[in-house]
Amino acid sequence: MNLTLYVWRQKNPGEKGRMNCYDAGNITADMSFLEMLDVVNEELVKKRIEPIAFDHDCREGICGACSQVINGIAHGPEAATTVCQLHMRRFTDGDAIYIEPWRSRAFPVIKDLIVDRSALDRLIQAGGYVSVSTGGAPEANATLLPKEEAEEAMDAAECIGCGACVAACPNSSAMLFVSAKIAHLASLPQGRVESASRVRSMVEAMDRQGFGSCSNHYECQAVCPKGVDVKNIARMNREYMKALFKAMG
Amino acid sequence: MILDGKIPAGPLPEKWDRHRREMKLVNPANKQKFSIIVVGTGLAGASAAASLAELGYRVDAFCYQDSARRAHSIAAQGGINAAKNYPNDGDTVHRLFHDTIKGGDFRSREANVYRLAQISNQIIDQCVAQGVPFAREYSGLLANRSFGGAQVSRTFFARGQTGQQLLLGAYQALSRQVHLGNVKLFQRTEMLELALVDGIARGIVVRDLVTGEIRAHSADAVILATGGYSNLFNLSTNAMGCNVTAAFRAFQKGAYFANPCFTQIHPTCIPATGEWQSKLTLMSESLRNDGRVWVPLKRDDRRSPELIPDNERDYYLERKYPSFGNLAPRDISSRAAKEVCDAGRGVGASGQAVYLDFSASIERFGEGLIRERYGNLFEMYEKITGENAYRAPMRIYPAPHYTMGGLWVDYNLMSNIPGLFVLGEANFSDHGANRLGASALMQGLADGYFIIPYTIADYLAGITPGLVESSHEAFRKAVEDAGERTRKLLSIRGKKTIHDFHRELGEIMWNYCGMARNEKGLKKALELIPDLREEFWRDVSVPGGAEELNQSLEKAGRVADFLEFAETVCHDALHRNESCGGHFREEFQTGEGEACRDDENFSYVAAWEFRGNGAKPELHKEPLLYDNVRQSVRSYK
C-alpha cells in the first residue's frame, strides 16, 4: 500500500516544530508501524534528508519506549496496543496518517517524536518502592497472599511507564501511572507498611513535576496499552484520604 | 597463558561461604569514599547499583535508554529458577546446579554454577519482599511451572512478564537510592570507551545521547552489566539498541573475551516475513509446557494444518527425545527445527517454520486455562501475525536470543583487568555452551544482589580511593578517541545505509556462524567480514551531526563494533573442533545428528585477547575441571 504521512519535525527543544509531509510507498500489511517508519527513514537517508527520530527499543510492547500520537490517539487506533505492536494491516492503501509526539508540559520535546519522560522516573523516585534493602528478606512463602490480591497487584503492576495516559489526558495528569504503582504496592502485604507515606509523597511529586489533576475523562484508560484500569485512581484517592486522616491523627 | 579462575578451595557446597568469610571488608565509614561506575541498568546492573548504594558506596549508573526501567531484561517472559522445592518434586540446590551444568553441556565452571544455585532461593525471597507480584496458588503460596531442560517445577513467574516485574523491583530499589542521593543516574548516556590508568580500570567515557557531549567519568571500580551481543545477527529477539560496544571496548583495552561462539538460538520465535523485518519476537519457552511441536511427515505438504491427520504429522521432539519431549533444551529444539525445515518439511510461506500446536491441551484443560496461562502471549502472536492461535497452531522458528559468551571473569566476577567487573549476560560465567530457560534472570540478580556486593569489597579494600580524577591524561586520550571515531563516521557520507551493512553482516553470521557451523563456512565468513567492514568505513551514510540527538550515529557506532567483533566470534567457532550446546559444528556429530563433544581436547574456556583491529586474537585457556559431576553425554532421550 501507499500512504501519506504527516510527521512532527522539530530539530531541538529550542526550535519551533512543524508537520512535514512524506510519502510511504511499498508498505505491506505484515509490517509493524515502526517498520513502516524504518522503510520511510531508509528512503529519507538515501535522499540525504535527516530521518525521523522516534523512541523505540524492545519492539514487543513491554519496554514502554515507543510513544507516538497517531491520528490523534496515543499509540494509535488499536486498543491495548503499543505503537511497536501496531501493524499496518490496520491501515488501507491511500490513508493519510498524522504522527505526533506525546504532548504534555511535563514531557518537553527533545527532537521530532522524542520527548523527555524523566518526570515519570522522578515520580517513582519519590516513593514508588518498598524500602527494603538487599539481604535479610524473610522466606518468600512465610507471608501468604490470596491469589485474587496477587492478581490485582499484577494487573496494576503491568504498567510499562510509556506515558500514553499523560499524553491522552486533557489535563496532562499522571494519575493513572501513579495510581497503578500505589495500587500495586498497596495490594501486597510487603507494600502496605509504607502506603500512607508513599501516596503522599508521590501525589506531591506529581504536582511538582507539572502534571495536571484528574477530572475523570478516562482517556488514560482508553489508550493504555496494558489495560490499566481507572479504578486504580479511585484506590489512590482512597489511600490518599486515609493518609491525610492518619497524618491528622 | 593458562588463566586462573581464582576458585576458592574446599568442598563445592562450602566454597562460597568460606570465600565470604575470607574476603576483606570495607569499613562502613570508609565506603562513601569509594565511587563505583555501573554501566547498564538491566537486572544485573540495577540490582548491583542499588545494592552497592545501600551499602554506602557512591554509585554512578548509566544506561542508553531514556529510562533505567526500559533495559532489555524487561522483555524476559517465562520465569526465574530457584531450588525452593515448593512442589515437593525432588528439587535441591545440587539438582539445580547439575541441571545447569548439564544444560550448559559441561562447559561452565562448577564453582560458579553451584554458587548460583545456592543463591537462587535468596533471590526469590528478596523479590517478594520488594513487592514483585509472582503468581500464587489459591492457598496463597507461590506457584511454580516447568521449563526446558528440567524434570522438576522450579520456575517462578509473574504471568508472561517475569522479567518486567523483576526489573521493576530492581529499578524501584535503584530509584530509592537515587532519591536518597546515593546513586547518580545518567539516562540516555552511552559508554564509548573504557579508561585505564597503569592497566587498572579507572573510569569510562560516555556520549550524552541528547546533547552529543562526550565526557569522562572516573571511579574506583567499573562494573559492566551491558547485556549480550545477539544483534550481531541483525535479526534477533534483543531490543533494537542492544549492542556489544561496551564489552568490545573493554576487549580492545585488554579484557579477554570468553567463548564468544557460544550463542543461543531460541527455538520458539515468530518467523520473519520480509526484508524490512526489524526484529524477531520470542514466544516464551513456557508455551512448550502445553504446546506440541510438529511438522508434516511428507515433504512440501502444503495442506493447512487442520487438514493433516495425526498419523501424517511428525511430533519430532516427542519422537526423538521421549523423556523430555517438547521440553527438550533450547539448543536441541532449535537444531531439530532447522533439520526438519532443511529437509523440506517446514511450514508457512517461507517453509522456515514449524507448528506449535495447543489443540490437545485446549481439549484437555479447556481454552480458559490455556488463556489464563498464556493469554498475553497468544494476544501478542495475534497482533503480529493476525492469526488466532486458539484456533490454528502457531508457526515458530528459531532466532538468536542470548549469548552465553562474554567477557572473561574470575570467581569474583572481575575481568583480567583489575577494577573491571562484569555481570549478567555480559560475562561468560554460568551457562557454558547453552543456557537453560529461566536461568538468565537468576544469574543477573545473583550477580547484582548477592555476589558483587561481597567481591567488590575485597577488591576495594586493597586500593586507595579517589586516586585518579577524570582530568587525568588517560581520560583526555579516551575522550579524544571517542570523538575522533564519531567524526570519522559522520565524515564518510557514502551511499549505503547503516541498516544495509547490519543486514549483510547478519546474513553472513546467520548463514555461516548460526545454528550449524562448519570449517568451510567459517573460513568464508572470515573472508567476507573484513571486506564488508572496509566497505562500511568507505561507503556508509551517517546523516546528522555530532552535537545533537542523532540515532543514526548511535546505530552506526554499534554496527561498526559488531563488524569488528564478528571475526572474533568466527575465530572462536572455527577453533573449537567439537560440537557442544549452542555451538554445533557439522563435522562433529553422531550418526543420529547429535552433538559430539570432545572433552579430552576442548574442556576449557577459550578466552581471546585482542591483538589489533582485523588481526587474529590470541587464545588463552582456562581448563574446566569437574570434581563433582561426570561429563556425561548429554542425553534428553
Side-chain angles (χ1 to χ4, degrees):
Chain A
M1 58 183 108
N2 294 302
L3 308 159
T4 309
L5 307 184
Y6 296 88
V7 185
W8 182 261
R9 302 301 308 258
Q10 182 174 342
K11 199 155 171 48
N12 56 51
E15 236 164 79
K16 241 181 127 179
R18 62 194 190 100
M19 298 298 279
N20 272 7
C21 179
Y22 304 100
D23 291 326
N26 295 321
I27 303 302
T28 67
D30 288 336
M31 287 180 186
S32 71
F33 195 82
L34 298 186
E35 283 166 343
M36 180 275 291
L37 283 180
D38 290 343
V39 170
V40 171
N41 272 343
E42 287 282 290
E43 289 305 310
L44 292 182
V45 171
K46 280 175 190 154
K47 288 188 209 149
R48 305 234 173 250
I49 299 171
E50 214 185 316
I52 303 155
F54 59 91
D55 263 327
H56 65 103
D57 206 17
C58 79
R59 295 203 177 191
E60 48 189 83
I62 193 73
C63 77
C66 59
S67 41
Q68 299 173 20
V69 174
I70 299 165
N71 292 339
I73 304 170
H75 283 307
E78 193 161 331
T81 305
T82 55
V83 178
C84 66
Q85 295 291 82
L86 175 65
H87 279 68
M88 295 312 291
R89 64 180 72 89
R90 291 284 307 194
F91 297 88
T92 44
D93 189 34
D95 275 0
I97 305 177
Y98 291 79
I99 312 173
E100 297 166 85
W102 278 180
R103 300 275 188 204
S104 161
R105 189 172 59 167
F107 293 164
V109 173
I110 296 175
K111 182 177 187 174
D112 297 344
L113 304 173
I114 297 182
V115 299
D116 179 354
R117 283 172 287 184
S118 52
L120 294 181
D121 290 310
R122 290 189 287 277
L123 295 182
I124 298 295
Q125 286 158 14
Y129 41 75
V130 176
S131 296
V132 54
S133 294
T134 306
E139 154 60 36
N141 256 349
T143 311
L144 298 183
L145 176 62
K147 188 179 168 74
E148 297 75 14
E149 286 173 39
E151 294 295 323
E152 222 179 279
M154 184 63 209
D155 285 342
E158 291 218 22
C159 168
I160 57 174
C162 62
C165 46
V166 177
C169 178
N171 310 332
S172 279
S173 170
M175 284 270 207
L176 191 67
F177 172 80
V178 171
S179 68
K181 192 46 64 189
I182 298 286
H184 159 210
L185 295 175
S187 305
L188 301 168
Q190 293 82 5
R192 245 165 248 156
V193 182
E194 296 169 276
S195 272
S197 58
R198 177 181 307 117
V199 70
R200 291 190 61 183
S201 52
M202 288 185 82
V203 167
E204 280 159 24
M206 206 158 59
D207 293 340
R208 226 175 21 247
Q209 295 298 330
F211 293 103
S213 300
C214 173
S215 47
N216 301 315
H217 286 258
Y218 299 168
E219 291 287 336
C220 51
Q221 178 179 271
V223 298
C224 176
K226 294 293 147 180
V228 175
D229 200 302
V230 290
K231 76 179 182 206
N232 290 306
I233 297 180
R235 168 123 198 209
M236 180 175 84
N237 288 336
R238 202 162 64 238
E239 295 287 340
Y240 189 68
M241 290 309 285
K242 266 175 19 193
L244 288 186
F245 283 123
K246 203 170 164 186
M248 284 155 61
Chain B
M1 189 171 74
I2 302 293
L3 286 167
D4 177 9
K6 303 210 175 80
I7 311 293
L12 190 62
E14 291 167 28
K15 281 181 194 290
W16 178 233
D17 277 349
R18 182 183 289 204
H19 191 53
R20 282 197 296 169
R21 206 162 60 230
E22 287 168 359
M23 277 186 290
K24 285 178 287 211
L25 297 171
V26 177
N27 172 319
N30 284 342
K31 286 201 177 87
Q32 48 89 25
K33 294 180 186 161
F34 289 96
S35 59
I36 300 169
I37 282 172
V38 181
V39 187
T41 57
L43 286 178
S47 60
S51 302
L52 293 168
E54 285 161 8
L55 288 169
Y57 298 109
R58 285 182 289 124
V59 176
D60 286 348
F62 298 83
C63 66
Y64 74 76
Q65 295 88 351
D66 75 312
S67 168
R69 67 180 288 152
R70 308 201 203 284
H72 192 56
S73 305
I74 199 118
Q77 297 169 355
I80 176 166
N81 286 329
K84 287 280 196 186
N85 191 34
Y86 288 155
N88 193 34
D89 56 359
D91 204 7
T92 62
V93 166
H94 194 275
R95 191 180 293 277
L96 173 53
F97 152 73
H98 190 269
D99 284 349
T100 309
I101 284 267
K102 179 187 169 192
D105 218 352
F106 304 95
R107 289 292 174 266
S108 45
R109 271 192 209 133
E110 273 194 342
N112 282 59
V113 178
Y114 197 89
R115 173 176 64 184
L116 178 65
Q118 282 176 307
I119 290 172
S120 66
N121 292 341
Q122 266 175 286
I123 296 172
I124 303 302
D125 299 342
Q126 182 65 34
C127 294
V128 168
Q130 287 172 343
V132 170
F134 283 122
R136 300 266 168 174
E137 304 288 358
Y138 281 105
S139 60
L141 296 166
L142 290 156
N144 287 114
R145 62 164 57 142
S146 308
F147 244 66
Q151 289 176 315
V152 293
S153 259
R154 61 159 73 100
T155 305
F156 295 78
F157 62 100
R159 294 191 187 148
Q161 291 121 286
T162 317
Q164 178 200 25
Q165 295 308 316
L166 296 177
L167 183 62
L168 292 181
Y171 160 76
Q172 286 164 201
L174 177 65
S175 297
R176 174 171 161 246
Q177 294 306 311
V178 172
H179 180 68
L180 294 170
N182 302 328
V183 173
K184 257 202 247 165
L185 185 56
F186 297 88
Q187 302 179 136
R188 289 201 200 268
T189 307
E190 182 157 30
M191 170 176 159
L192 293 184
E193 284 287 347
L194 175 70
L196 303 186
V197 177
D198 303 325
I200 297 173
R202 292 294 191 181
I204 59 173
V205 169
V206 299
R207 181 169 180 272
D208 180 322
L209 299 181
V210 176
T211 64
E213 184 201 359
I214 294 176
R215 61 170 192 268
H217 290 259
S218 66
D220 296 302
V222 175
I223 296 173
L224 299 186
T226 48
Y229 49 86
S230 291
N231 277 346
L232 176 63
F233 294 94
N234 178 30
L235 287 181
S236 84
T237 66
N238 282 188
M240 301 299 286
C242 292
N243 63 81
V244 77
T245 293
F248 186 70
R249 289 284 167 265
F251 175 57
Q252 281 182 314
K253 286 281 163 77
Y256 297 163
F257 213 108
N259 300 333
C261 81
F262 289 167
T263 54
Q264 178 165 81
I265 315 290
H266 196 290
T268 53
C269 301
I270 300 177
T273 42
E275 214 192 46
W276 37 264
Q277 187 96 26
S278 61
K279 77 156 277 164
L280 296 169
T281 301
L282 178 86
M283 290 279 104
S284 168
E285 173 165 303
S286 61
L287 289 169
R288 288 197 278 144
N289 272 308
D290 287 298
R292 298 178 74 194
V293 177
W294 65 276
V295 290
L297 265 177
K298 288 195 300 255
R299 284 179 66 97
D300 303 317
D301 190 339
R302 292 278 158 225
R303 287 177 291 174
S304 82
E306 73 279 3
L307 298 176
I308 302 178
D310 215 47
N311 61 359
E312 290 178 45
R313 299 176 176 188
D314 181 11
Y315 295 93
Y316 58 88
L317 286 177
E318 296 171 25
R319 171 173 59 79
K320 290 174 75 169
Y321 309 103
S323 70
F324 279 71
N326 294 297
L327 285 175
R330 292 177 175 176
D331 52 340
I332 288 175
S333 307
S334 290
R335 217 156 43 238
K338 175 177 161 45
E339 212 174 275
V340 293
C341 292
D342 287 353
R345 298 196 285 139
V347 299
S350 64
Q352 295 290 301
V354 300
Y355 289 126
L356 179 61
D357 194 335
F358 294 88
S359 54
S361 292
I362 289 174
E363 205 166 296
R364 188 167 156 215
F365 303 117
E367 195 177 307
L369 189 85
I370 297 300
R371 193 179 295 277
E372 187 185 314
R373 284 187 184 158
Y374 314 108
N376 65 322
L377 297 170
F378 278 58
E379 266 172 44
M380 180 144 86
Y381 184 80
E382 184 163 5
K383 273 177 192 161
I384 294 172
T385 62
E387 289 171 21
N388 178 347
Y390 296 103
R391 300 282 156 271
M394 288 183 179
R395 274 178 286 105
I396 55 164
Y397 197 67
H401 172 58
Y402 186 89
T403 53
M404 285 72 70
L407 290 172
W408 184 87
V409 289
D410 62 18
Y411 187 74
N412 295 320
L413 305 183
M414 188 160 86
S415 71
N416 56 306
I417 296 177
L420 178 69
F421 294 80
V422 190
L423 315 186
E425 190 179 352
N427 75 26
F428 87 104
S429 69
D430 293 355
H431 307 296
N434 173 58
R435 179 176 66 73
L436 290 184
S439 286
L441 305 186
M442 172 171 70
Q443 187 221 335
L445 291 180
D447 288 3
Y449 284 135
F450 295 113
I451 300 175
I452 194 71
Y454 296 93
T455 60
I456 206 166
D458 191 47
Y459 170 76
L460 294 173
I463 66 166
T464 313
L467 267 190
V468 177
E469 307 251 321
S470 59
S471 53
H472 189 279
E473 167 65 19
F475 287 94
R476 203 182 50 76
K477 172 83 173 56
V479 168
E480 249 169 46
D481 289 350
E484 177 53 34
R485 200 177 162 80
T486 300
R487 274 189 295 280
K488 207 167 143 194
L489 284 169
L490 288 167
S491 68
I492 301 166
R493 302 279 169 199
K495 284 190 289 297
K496 280 172 74 172
T497 66
I498 303 153
H499 187 60
D500 291 336
F501 286 100
H502 197 186
R503 191 163 45 215
E504 279 179 48
L505 175 66
E507 271 167 29
I508 294 172
M509 294 308 288
W510 181 246
N511 291 336
Y512 301 116
C513 199
M515 264 190 287
R517 301 147 178 192
N518 62 52
E519 184 182 340
K520 200 168 147 236
L522 288 165
K523 284 186 169 158
K524 174 100 181 154
L526 284 167
E527 280 170 25
L528 294 172
I529 297 163
D531 290 349
L532 187 63
R533 187 170 58 230
E534 186 272 329
E535 194 190 347
F536 175 89
W537 285 103
R538 179 165 44 78
D539 199 24
V540 73
S541 168
V542 186
E547 274 137 33
E548 58 178 344
L549 190 150
N550 185 343
Q551 292 178 313
S552 305
L553 179 62
E554 293 164 29
K555 168 135 180 141
R558 292 167 191 161
V559 171
D561 287 331
F562 280 132
L563 279 164
E564 304 268 0
F565 175 64
E567 276 173 285
T568 305
V569 179
C570 293
H571 281 302
D572 188 38
L574 183 60
H575 111 283
R576 193 168 277 278
N577 285 322
E578 64 162 350
S579 292
C580 60
H583 170 65
F584 188 77
R585 280 281 300 271
E586 286 168 343
E587 303 94 320
F588 307 99
Q589 55 179 309
T590 65
E592 290 170 300
E594 300 293 337
C596 242
R597 223 173 55 224
D598 179 354
D599 291 335
E600 202 172 313
N601 295 304
F602 288 96
S603 199
Y604 61 77
V605 177
W608 298 89
E609 182 182 1
F610 184 71
R611 282 296 187 194
N613 285 335
K616 190 182 168 189
E618 188 181 336
L619 175 66
H620 302 288
K621 295 178 184 176
E622 180 199 335
L624 290 168
L625 305 172
Y626 293 92
D627 302 323
N628 297 274
V629 296
R630 203 170 50 82
Q631 284 177 284
S632 55
V633 173
R634 187 163 155 251
S635 168
Y636 291 93
K637 294 183 188 241

